[in-house]
Amino acid sequence: MDMRLHEYQAKEVFADAGIPTPASQLASDVDGVVDAADEIGYPVAVKAQVHVGGRGKAGGIKLVENSEEAREAADSILGMDLKGYHVDQVLVEEAVDFTNELYVGITMDRGEGKPVAMVSTKGGVNIEEVAEEDPDAIAREHIDPSFGMHPYQARKAVYDAGVDRAVARDVSSILKTLYDLWESKDGSDVEINPLMITDDDEVIAADAVMNVDEDALFRHPDLEEMEEEAAGGDELERKADEYDFDYVRLSGNVGIIGNGAGLVMTTLDLVDHYGGEPANFLDVGGGAKAERIANALDMVFSDENVDAVVFNIFGGITRGDEVARGINEALEAFDEIPKPVVVRLAGTNWEEGMEILNEDLVTVEQTLEDAVERTVEYAEEVNEQ
Ligand code: GDP
Ligand code: MN
């Protein structure tokens, strides 16, 4: 199995090895994107950090000229679904004014049982497509792993590909560095597409791919750390699996817990209506017993994007008083409630439930509208602190 680094992680590895990369910052919320873009200076590229190719075409990359456009781009990319991947981080990057785009990469040629270096002046597009439509546009140089890549092999591949002589030396040196990384980090694919060439013959890695052998990760603590960091974003989804919740992460800061998909959807719409932004969709399902309530709270509390939580429970089989006891029990376990919690109960025994709720720990509202409005206010207050 391969571990795939995110673009921003691969760029970190490449930059450490001396490959020029554009100035960039990682961001996970809209304000963070705007701040980063303002700091880097316009134009910048806002790029979804998910493991799919062709992000540009799919709407996952936007070039922006000012703060307003940066905000719009962040709004549309963060939280979007890109070919089945939820985007929760973007790389904000100095845009490169390029005249040419190259492809350079090292991969394993399974047929030959040897690594192969590839260079093409048809960069910036899917290299598999180039390989199919115009195989001669890719220069290939096989490498004997017991000797490593000789600098002349790098120069030959670059020459064969027809790379402009003015940048040939820099491109060769980058190709050699890629091979050294491939070898030293137990890589499977190490690629730059596009490697951009500017007007004044600068060579910059505008994208970065680095896939490494998962079984060799123990030899590379730096990469292991990156894997953990990347998995962090999915930690909540893993928890949701474990707890058997229906859960979707969204890009806002209002945590939502409810039972029944319809009720959660209604709550989501109301959050939006009151000017808030939902942080998640969390349906605890039927039987909202104390333990499930505690698990749901554990999830939203551990989501650092959440500033306030609204509980919207409709008592059916699970009665309102049971739910209320569950909420009390779950919250009493905390020395300090991490984020404000607003509760609205309806259905069987809801009145009893309301009375049981410990109002030192939660805010109780009678109607769904009031509960949501109050939560949105709390979220705004927390956010402003
Ligand atoms: P991928 O499609 O997911 O591989 O994403 P890339 O990072 O390779 O970007 C795809 C395309 O977006 C590039 O080939 C460029 O044409 C364009 N692009 C990306 N970054 C920049 C940039 O900084 N400046 C400009 N002008 N175009 C960019
Ligand atoms: Mn690319």
Side-chain angles (χ1 to χ4, degrees):
M1 270 282 284
D2 273 355
M3 171 213 166
R4 307 167 73 183
L5 272 65
H6 280 298
E7 177 191 5
Y8 76 93
Q9 295 174 321
K11 277 182 169 157
E12 232 172 272
V13 176
F14 290 5
D16 281 347
I19 296 173
T21 54
S24 67
Q25 283 181 41
L26 192 67
S28 55
D29 59 49
V30 175
D31 288 335
V33 172
V34 178
D35 288 347
D38 286 350
E39 200 177 313
I40 289 168
Y42 296 93
V44 301
V46 180
K47 310 174 80 179
Q49 296 300 289
V50 285
H51 295 302
V52 296
R55 291 166 298 169
K57 273 190 205 157
I61 298 179
K62 294 220 153 73
L63 281 171
V64 300
E65 302 283 346
N66 53 52
S67 308
E68 214 170 294
E69 286 180 19
R71 185 169 293 280
E72 278 168 25
D75 249 334
S76 80
I77 297 175
L78 281 168
M80 84 183 285
D81 179 273
L82 205 65
K83 300 182 180 172
Y85 288 83
H86 185 78
V87 180
D88 48 25
Q89 284 178 312
V90 294
L91 189 65
V92 183
E93 181 172 84
E94 178 187 19
V96 181
D97 195 7
F98 62 93
T99 51
N100 272 305
E101 296 181 287
L102 309 181
Y103 169 93
V104 293
I106 314 289
T107 187
M108 190 69 189
D109 182 338
R110 311 233 172 252
E112 297 272 330
K114 278 183 185 166
V116 61
M118 298 191 287
V119 181
S120 176
T121 53
K122 298 207 161 171
V125 292
N126 187 339
I127 198 67
E128 272 96 42
E129 269 168 40
V130 177
E132 231 165 74
E133 284 160 21
D134 190 4
D136 292 342
I138 304 172
R140 293 181 173 80
E141 185 73 21
H142 284 93
I143 297 146
D144 183 337
S146 47
F147 292 104
M149 183 188 238
H150 196 279
Y152 98 82
Q153 290 182 292
R155 288 197 297 270
K156 179 168 182 300
V158 169
Y159 177 85
D160 287 350
V163 172
D164 187 353
R165 287 184 56 182
V167 295
R169 183 196 262 274
D170 287 347
V171 176
S172 306
S173 135
I174 287 171
L175 186 61
K176 165 95 172 94
T177 304
L178 284 188
Y179 180 81
D180 293 344
L181 283 172
W182 185 90
E183 191 187 68
S184 66
K185 303 283 189 190
D186 293 290
S188 50
D189 305 287
V190 178
E191 291 178 351
I192 303 174
N193 186 24
L195 180 65
M196 287 180 171
I197 313 293
T198 68
D199 229 356
D200 43 8
D201 296 331
E202 269 190 86
V203 182
I204 299 173
D207 192 11
V209 168
M210 184 155 178
N211 301 334
V212 299
D213 178 5
E214 181 127 50
D215 294 330
L217 268 185
F218 70 94
R219 284 202 285 264
H220 310 293
D222 53 334
L223 300 181
E224 226 169 7
E225 207 171 290
M226 286 182 173
E227 187 186 42
E228 277 162 23
E229 184 189 298
D234 299 322
E235 199 197 308
L236 288 169
E237 268 151 47
R238 273 207 307 277
K239 263 191 187 170
D241 254 3
E242 187 191 317
Y243 294 150
D244 193 25
F245 288 148
D246 202 357
Y247 173 82
V248 182
R249 186 172 194 172
L250 303 167
S251 58
N253 68 338
V254 180
I256 296 168
I257 302 173
N259 61 344
L263 189 58
V264 179
M265 281 308 294
T266 306
T267 314
L268 236 91
D269 289 343
L270 275 172
V271 167
D272 186 61
H273 172 82
Y274 285 109
E277 277 192 76
N280 65 269
F281 175 108
L282 201 171
D283 176 7
V284 298
K289 290 254 157 64
E291 196 193 339
R292 284 186 80 70
I293 303 274
N295 290 344
L297 275 171
D298 173 45
M299 280 202 58
V300 286
F301 282 165
S302 62
D303 181 345
E304 58 188 33
N305 294 317
V306 170
D307 287 329
V309 182
V310 60
F311 247 105
N312 185 19
I313 301 284
F314 192 89
I317 302 165
T318 307
R319 305 184 321 259
D321 53 317
E322 275 176 57
V323 173
R325 275 189 206 96
I327 294 174
N328 284 348
E329 214 173 286
L331 288 174
E332 277 154 11
F334 289 91
D335 288 334
E336 198 182 331
I337 311 293
K339 309 173 188 196
V341 178
V342 181
V343 182
R344 176 262 187 176
L345 298 175
T348 317
N349 288 13
W350 68 271
E351 279 172 311
E352 253 182 276
M354 296 282 214
E355 267 164 42
I356 290 170
L357 281 168
N358 181 345
E359 294 203 49
D360 291 336
L361 304 177
V362 297
T363 303
V364 180
E365 292 288 354
Q366 301 289 324
T367 69
L368 179 53
E369 285 77 7
D370 289 347
V372 170
E373 192 174 14
R374 177 63 74 94
T375 313
V376 169
E377 279 167 21
Y378 280 149
E380 271 167 18
E381 280 167 28
V382 173
N383 203 16
E384 274 160 19
Q385 277 167 19

